[in-house]
Amino acid sequence: NAGVTQTPKFRILKIGQSMTLQCTQDMNHNYMYWYRQDPGMGLKLIYYSVGAGITDKGEVPNGYNVSRSTTEDFPLRLELAAPSQTSVYFCASSYGDRNEKLFFGSGTQLSVL
Amino acid sequence: DAKTTQPPSMDCAEGRAANLPCNHSTISGNEYVYWYRQIHSQGPQYIIHGLKNNETNEMASLIITEDRKSSTLILPHATLRDTAVYYCIVTRRSDKLIFGTGTRLQVFP
């Protein structure tokens, strides 16, 4: 049981480039989330999904897109990378909407230069 | 707007109890108090949660005041591995978690 797996662990992008952060979970969780964490700050919710085919915006969705075609995968897309998107990105999942059951991945550290 | 107030940092000697306070004076009747922690740069980890009664599990205890306006997370015997940022979050059970800046707990030998 791998839990929540994020790839890559580190990435450097140039301004204007695009990339997809991958997130997969093997716990058959229906809820999945993307958070970002800037240095010294708490986590901010970018997008979340309550099941395959259903996504919704969180606190800071601008500049990002998501899709949820399967229960296991919830990729996060950056179309035109900007320095403001330099952050650590965490994916999480839960079975249902119970906040005590969130499991987080180990994060992706992204730098946009 | 932040729903909770936590001290930015605290120290605790190894083996002693760590008591982390959290103020949530505007908490609503259907909102829970959740505690998560983040060790170094890992993803946050669930610790404990409660509505109005005190709660205990294998990791910690949660003491909620009778008026529910504040709470304390207790790590009974802190170890060096408990050094982390601790987040107190107040939200309804099905609402999304909103993380503040938390309390950085440093456990020293």
Side-chain angles (χ1 to χ4, degrees), chain B residues 2-4 22-34 50-52 64-71 88-92:
Chain B
K3 290 186 177 181
T4 64
C22 180
N23 287 321
H24 31 80
S25 58
T26 60
I27 191 170
S28 300
N30 59 353
E31 289 183 316
Y32 286 72
V33 180
Y34 292 86
L51 183 62
K52 52 186 176 182
I64 302 175
T65 58
E66 195 168 340
D67 63 7
R68 301 185 70 235
K69 293 185 177 182
S70 66
S71 60
C88 171
I89 304 166
V90 166
T91 189
R92 294 185 301 175

Side-chain angles (χ1 to χ4, degrees), chain A:
Chain A
N1 220 352
V4 179
T5 302
Q6 292 183 236
T7 56
K9 292 192 181 303
F10 304 94
R11 184 72 187 268
I12 297 174
L13 283 181
K14 294 183 179 179
I15 295 172
Q17 286 185 320
S18 62
M19 77 162 294
T20 299
L21 281 67
Q22 302 291 345
C23 176
T24 188
Q25 51 90 10
D26 62 358
M27 297 175 282
N28 201 31
H29 286 170
N30 49 348
Y31 281 60
M32 295 187 75
Y33 313 81
W34 274 106
Y35 287 87
R36 61 175 285 175
Q37 185 174 32
D38 298 335
M41 305 298 287
L43 282 75
K44 292 192 181 298
L45 183 63
I46 306 171
Y47 270 97
Y48 65 98
S49 168
V50 301
I54 306 170
T55 62
D56 209 345
K57 297 178 180 179
E59 303 171 83
V60 290
N62 292 343
Y64 306 95
N65 280 302
V66 292
S67 60
R68 185 91 183 273
S69 57
T70 67
T71 299
E72 296 78 17
D73 301 305
F74 190 41
L76 178 72
R77 178 83 178 163
L78 284 71
E79 291 294 349
L80 291 171
S84 61
Q85 293 177 305
T86 294
S87 191
V88 179
Y89 292 83
F90 289 100
C91 179
S93 72
S94 65
Y95 185 72
D97 59 359
R98 296 297 178 89
N99 284 320
E100 66 270 24
K101 299 295 186 184
L102 260 70
F103 291 87
F104 283 82
S106 56
T108 294
Q109 188 167 329
L110 177 66
S111 295
V112 182
L113 305 175

